[in-house]
Amino acid sequence: MNITRRLLGKVALGLAGATMLMQGAFAADKPAPFDKPGVKIALVRYLSTGDFFQAYLSGVEAQSKALGIDLRVLDSRQDAALQSDMVDQAIALGVQGIIIQHGLTESMKDAAQRAVDAGIKVVAFDVNVENPKIPQIEQSDKDLARLALEQAVKDNGESWNAGYVYVAGIAPLDRRNETWVDVKKKYAGIKEAAMFGTLDNPIANSVANQARSVLSAHPDINVMFAPYDEFAKGVKIAVDEAGLNKKIKIYSADISTSDIAAMREPDSAWAATAATNPAVVGQVSVRALAQLLAGEDPGHNVIVPPTLITQKELIDKDIKNMEDLSAKLPQFAHADVAMPTWMPNPNAK
């Protein structure tokens, strides 16, 4: 075949046209502003210590990458005033969207409103900013507590003495507390022998210090309800040190690879937890924000359903880490929440 310059020119034009068509088709797959690169968002964090928050961040990063988003992470490390200032920093950076992750209502309510007033789309995960324009991303915290406590009743009957770990003013813990209050009303035999808790870093060690004193003062405690895995880690440290791991059972919320290892230990006191996949929650947070940016409504309450995970199940199914958990409990691997047809799934293989 005689290849001429004219033929090469036609081939080049054809390839260029095909490339433009492919680019056009790709752009058509996603609505504006995601049809072009350069969408910039910020994640403004209050809590970041612990496996849960590392996994949550990985989910935010994965979904942002799948959407071609330029992500900025601002971490206040539990400084409420700094977190509020960081919202202003994000506004100054020219972001189009902000995810507010945890925090205190009194410090974040006005900050969130300033972002909305600046024309920025905002979603909030596990912090109530009391704003009808801002979707609330939730783990269905009442269900998390309900699943864990139902298992506690199943394992221990309707009468037991409980140690309860709680810090007021944190939205997810407040919602979980509502379920605890309801359960105590339902079962008159369940007694709260002691309530304690702290978010001082490192959280697990700080809670362990408190739990040592509680166990000493209340030797009748046989159940610990610690509805946050860093709380549960701290309680387990104290229970193990006191040699009470066969007398006391621990029920919690949230899960991580290190939690799984702790639950699988021989004669571990950590009997069950209820959890969503924190990486999936991070993905849902980005997806809900992306829907807002695309002019869609994800709903005011965007709820990720939880899963009950027992010590027995982890052992029987030989689940050793988060990867095993997702593979052997498919409902844990992905939540079909805030998932319009154009949204890329970073978990797809």
Side-chain angles (χ1 to χ4, degrees):
M1 181 178 180
N2 186 21
I3 300 176
T4 64
R5 288 186 178 181
R6 179 177 294 179
L7 179 59
L8 286 172
K10 288 181 178 179
V11 170
L13 284 171
L15 288 172
T19 301
M20 290 177 68
L21 284 172
M22 288 176 64
Q23 289 175 340
F26 176 78
D29 286 340
K30 299 187 185 72
F34 299 101
D35 53 345
K36 297 177 182 178
V39 176
K40 187 188 299 184
I41 70 169
L43 171 63
V44 181
R45 313 178 83 193
Y46 179 72
L47 289 166
S48 56
T49 300
D51 296 333
F52 180 94
F53 300 105
Q54 293 174 11
Y56 176 85
L57 176 60
S58 74
V60 169
E61 291 172 336
Q63 190 68 66
S64 295
K65 182 178 179 181
L67 281 163
I69 286 173
D70 178 3
L71 172 68
R72 308 297 173 91
V73 180
L74 305 175
D75 190 352
S76 72
R77 298 186 181 277
Q78 293 158 253
D79 185 325
L82 178 58
Q83 188 187 24
S84 177
D85 290 342
M86 283 179 165
V87 171
D88 296 318
Q89 292 177 31
I91 295 171
L93 285 171
V95 301
Q96 292 152 274
I98 296 175
I99 301 169
I100 298 174
Q101 182 231 294
H102 291 87
L104 306 179
T105 298
E106 57 265 29
S107 57
M108 295 313 296
K109 180 179 178 180
D110 291 342
Q113 185 61 53
R114 290 196 297 274
V116 171
D117 291 343
I120 295 170
K121 301 299 183 183
V122 180
V123 299
F125 168 50
D126 271 356
V127 54
N128 183 9
V129 293
E130 298 179 351
N131 193 315
K133 294 183 179 179
I134 297 178
Q136 300 283 312
I137 315 299
E138 300 175 15
Q139 299 181 76
S140 187
D141 290 287
K142 291 184 179 181
D143 283 338
L144 282 170
R146 177 184 57 79
L147 289 171
L149 289 168
E150 285 177 350
Q151 188 64 36
V153 170
K154 181 179 178 180
D155 291 345
N156 303 281
E158 298 180 5
S159 296
W160 29 272
N161 296 316
Y164 175 44
V165 192
Y166 174 51
V167 176
I170 303 298
L173 298 180
D174 289 342
R175 289 191 289 264
R176 295 169 196 185
N177 181 64
E178 291 175 18
T179 300
W180 172 237
V181 170
D182 290 342
V183 166
K184 286 188 296 180
K185 288 179 181 178
K186 181 178 180 180
Y187 299 105
I190 296 176
K191 307 296 183 184
E192 184 182 295
M195 181 175 72
F196 60 101
T198 179
L199 288 172
D200 291 345
N201 282 322
I203 295 171
N205 291 341
S206 298
V207 169
N209 291 335
Q210 294 181 331
R212 291 184 186 100
S213 299
V214 168
L215 292 172
S216 177
H218 301 277
D220 58 337
I221 286 176
N222 56 336
V223 169
M224 281 283 194
F225 180 43
Y228 166 33
D229 61 343
E230 292 299 308
F231 290 168
K233 288 177 185 177
V235 169
K236 185 177 182 300
I237 290 170
V239 167
D240 287 348
E241 287 178 353
L244 297 172
N245 54 301
K246 292 186 179 180
K247 178 194 172 188
I248 294 174
K249 290 187 181 293
I250 301 168
Y251 299 85
S252 71
D254 307 325
I255 192 75
S256 70
T257 291
S258 63
D259 297 345
I260 292 170
M263 291 176 72
R264 284 172 53 95
E265 288 175 6
D267 297 321
S268 174
W270 198 338
T273 191
T276 56
N277 187 331
V280 171
V281 179
Q283 293 169 11
V284 170
S285 300
V286 175
R287 294 203 294 263
L289 182 59
Q291 284 192 272
L292 285 182
L293 289 168
E296 298 177 0
D297 180 12
H300 183 68
N301 295 95
V302 182
I303 298 175
V304 183
T307 301
L308 177 70
I309 301 158
T310 65
Q311 181 187 78
K312 184 179 186 301
E313 189 172 35
L314 293 176
I315 294 170
D316 288 350
K317 295 186 177 181
D318 196 27
I319 295 171
K320 297 177 181 177
N321 51 46
M322 295 292 281
E323 290 73 21
D324 289 347
L325 195 61
S326 293
K328 297 178 181 182
L329 295 179
Q331 70 271 29
F332 190 76
H334 173 72
D336 193 20
V337 177
M339 199 74 192
T341 55
W342 58 268
M343 187 72 67
N345 181 0
N347 306 310
K349 295 180 180 179

